[in-house]
Amino acid sequence: MATKNTKSQTKKNKSSAVKPAARTTGAMAGSAQEAASGAAEEAKTAAAAAPKGKKPGKAAAAKGKAAAKKTAASPEKKPAEAPAVKEEAKAPAVKEQAAPAVKEQAVALAVKEEPKAPAVKEQAAPAVKEPAEAPAAKEEPKAAEPEKTAPAKDGAIAAKILLKPNKDGSKITAVAPRPEIKGNPYKPMVCTVLEVIRETANIKTFRVGIDDPEVAKNFHFEPGQVGQLSVFGTGESTFVINTPPSVKDYLQFSVMMAGEVTTAIHNLSKGDKVGVRAPLGRPFPYDLWKGKDLFFIGGGIGMAPIRTIMMHCLEHKQDYGTISLLYGARSPQDLTYQYELDSWMANPDLNCTLTIDREAEGWPHKVGMIPNVLREIAPKADNCVAVLCGPPIMIKFTLMALDELGFSHENVYTTLEKRMKCGIGICGRCGIGGKYVCLDGPVFSQKELDELPPEL
């Protein structure tokens, strides 16, 4: 029975192996493999059923040969292509291998992130050690105290060296501390207009007195300091106090009409009330100039700050060398303080030179721009301090002329009060390169200006 079944199955398998020739390569490969696997299983079954010690019969041998023929024949008929198809189908196995690589990278990243946490702990750990070092830090100041106490005998001299230049005048730069404002810096002193003087077509000088006698008695300022002159209900503006500190009866401000506030000031009359916030800013460092020659240069309304420092130095002529003045304007009518010019020309302690830009009938003095007249006069730069103020264009070319004459930038000074606004360092509108004109100025040496941005 087993032999017949095997023969019939073999015939069926042969017929099935021929018919799939018209089918696809995948179907032929599948049927061939199934037939081979079936024949192998039947051969194993027959071998197991045979008695031990006996060889399988002819039927079993025939089955084995038939299975071997089918197995051998199946690889010859295009089965090589079927595995190729299946191997291509197994291509996802490559993707499965790529997937673990991604996971390994993710794990690697996780490992990299974890060390950051210990880094924080390591930083926190030294914090525990710091208390141990703290006593050492506390002990250091104790050891440093004798060092500060030891030079205390020379402390006053050392402090002055920090705030003043060398005696040879090689370092007279940015040495004065910022001024300390006493009382309420926002509250103006109530003053009364005592006198109004017409200087030019657009410049007036106002002399005002402080109403409170106690405040007036204790009021003091230095040459070069400024005040905020205000018209109540309109506003305030910055002007230099152009009287010397020796004048106690009034404060004098010279005002050029240029805007709303200055127009309101020009409309003031004798007896009107005004407000004054003063003194503000750093003064001229005239103590550093002692023993030196002084050369003052003023242009137009720029003569206002020059007037106060020049008159103060003339009052203390014994402290200085030769004092000279070069004052100019566009025309004789544009010169301020004309009622004082004759006395300045006649003063034996002052070498005064006046000039105008263009010739004018009856003008007996110099004609020419201030920088050109300065080159003509040619003051000696040795042991000489130059102080100038005027229109920006005049300052620019005058500084160039002083360079040609050999003046050190440490010995050239000017004032920038026109850039001041609030006067106490609150609004920040006069800030230039980390400095405030109202607190670090308005008086600056040319060396200080060299360190500021080029906008000046």
Side-chain angles (χ1 to χ4, degrees):
M1 294 294 291
T3 305
K4 292 180 179 180
N5 291 334
T6 304
K7 291 181 178 179
S8 62
Q9 288 179 1
T10 302
K11 292 178 180 180
K12 291 179 181 179
N13 290 335
K14 288 182 178 180
S15 61
S16 61
V18 175
K19 290 179 180 178
R23 298 180 183 177
T24 59
T25 306
M28 291 172 63
S31 60
Q33 287 181 357
E34 288 176 1
S37 60
E41 287 177 2
E42 288 179 2
K44 288 180 182 180
T45 304
K52 294 182 180 179
K54 293 183 180 181
K55 295 182 180 180
K58 295 181 179 180
K63 289 183 180 180
K65 291 180 180 180
K69 287 181 181 180
K70 291 179 182 178
T71 306
S74 59
E76 294 176 358
K77 297 181 180 180
K78 302 183 182 178
E81 297 179 358
V85 174
K86 286 192 175 181
E87 286 177 1
E88 293 177 358
K90 290 181 180 180
V94 179
K95 294 183 179 179
E96 289 178 0
Q97 292 176 358
V102 176
K103 290 182 180 179
E104 289 175 3
Q105 290 177 358
V107 173
L109 292 174
V111 174
K112 289 182 180 178
E113 291 176 357
E114 286 176 0
K116 292 183 180 178
V120 177
K121 291 181 181 178
E122 288 175 2
Q123 291 177 357
V128 180
K129 295 181 181 179
E130 286 179 0
E133 298 175 0
K138 291 181 180 177
E139 291 176 0
E140 289 178 359
K142 291 181 181 178
E145 287 178 1
E147 295 177 2
K148 292 182 180 178
T149 306
K153 297 179 181 178
D154 300 331
I157 298 174
K160 288 181 180 179
I161 291 174
L162 293 175
L163 296 177
K164 292 184 178 181
N166 296 332
K167 292 182 179 180
D168 60 1
S170 60
K171 294 182 179 179
I172 50 178
T173 307
V175 292
R178 288 180 172 181
E180 296 181 3
I181 301 174
K182 299 179 180 179
N184 186 349
Y186 299 98
K187 184 179 179 180
M189 302 178 293
V190 179
C191 301
T192 302
V193 177
L194 303 177
E195 187 176 1
V196 180
I197 303 172
R198 168 70 70 176
E199 299 287 357
T200 67
N202 61 344
I203 298 174
K204 286 184 178 181
T205 294
F206 297 85
R207 294 175 177 174
V208 301
I210 302 173
D211 288 357
D212 190 331
E214 190 67 21
V215 175
K217 180 181 178 181
N218 297 325
F219 184 81
H220 178 73
F221 71 97
E222 297 288 342
Q225 288 188 299
V226 302
Q228 294 280 356
L229 180 62
S230 60
V231 177
F232 299 116
T234 303
E236 64 180 7
S237 191
T238 308
F239 305 99
V240 67
I241 304 172
N242 60 57
T243 47
S246 59
V247 176
K248 302 294 185 181
D249 298 335
Y250 57 85
L251 301 176
Q252 180 167 300
F253 302 95
S254 297
V255 181
M256 175 184 288
M257 186 170 61
E260 182 180 0
V261 176
T262 53
T263 300
I265 294 174
H266 269 237
N267 292 333
L268 294 173
S269 301
K270 183 178 179 179
D272 289 342
K273 299 294 182 181
V274 294
V276 175
R277 292 195 296 118
L280 302 174
R282 290 194 319 176
F284 287 104
Y286 54 87
D287 284 341
L288 304 179
W289 304 344
K290 291 182 178 180
K292 297 178 179 293
D293 295 336
L294 305 178
F295 198 97
F296 297 105
I297 307 170
I301 190 60
M303 188 61 204
I306 298 297
R307 179 180 186 271
T308 179
I309 184 61
M310 182 186 71
M311 294 183 69
H312 177 77
C313 292
L314 287 173
E315 291 173 357
H316 301 83
K317 176 65 175 63
Q318 67 278 5
D319 295 333
Y320 306 98
T322 302
I323 300 178
S324 304
L325 170 66
L326 172 59
Y327 178 38
R330 288 177 296 181
S331 66
Q333 293 76 23
D334 293 316
L335 292 168
T336 56
Y337 315 116
Q338 295 186 27
Y339 45 88
E340 296 180 333
L341 295 181
D342 290 340
S343 63
W344 292 353
M345 294 291 296
N347 191 331
D349 294 331
L350 179 66
N351 297 328
C352 183
T353 303
L354 303 178
T355 184
I356 56 175
D357 294 349
R358 298 177 182 177
E359 293 184 0
E361 185 178 353
W363 177 253
H365 306 288
K366 295 281 186 180
V367 176
M369 301 287 186
I370 289 176
N372 296 332
V373 176
L374 177 62
R375 293 185 180 92
E376 181 182 341
I377 297 174
K380 294 183 179 180
D382 297 339
N383 197 41
C384 184
V385 174
V387 185
L388 68 152
C389 188
I393 189 66
M394 167 256 177
I395 292 178
K396 176 180 178 180
F397 288 100
T398 302
L399 291 176
M400 295 171 61
L402 290 172
D403 281 342
E404 295 174 11
L405 295 171
F407 275 80
S408 168
H409 288 196
E410 297 174 346
N411 291 334
V412 178
Y413 288 84
T414 188
T415 177
L416 307 174
E417 72 271 4
K418 287 186 177 182
R419 299 183 70 95
M420 292 176 60
K421 301 300 178 183
C422 70
I424 54 177
I426 299 299
C427 70
R429 295 177 65 185
C430 67
I432 306 172
K435 291 189 177 183
Y436 288 105
V437 172
C438 60
L439 298 180
D440 301 300
V443 175
F444 291 96
S445 68
Q446 187 177 0
K447 183 176 180 181
E448 290 176 299
L449 296 180
D450 292 341
E451 299 171 355
L452 297 180
E455 62 178 296
L456 295 178

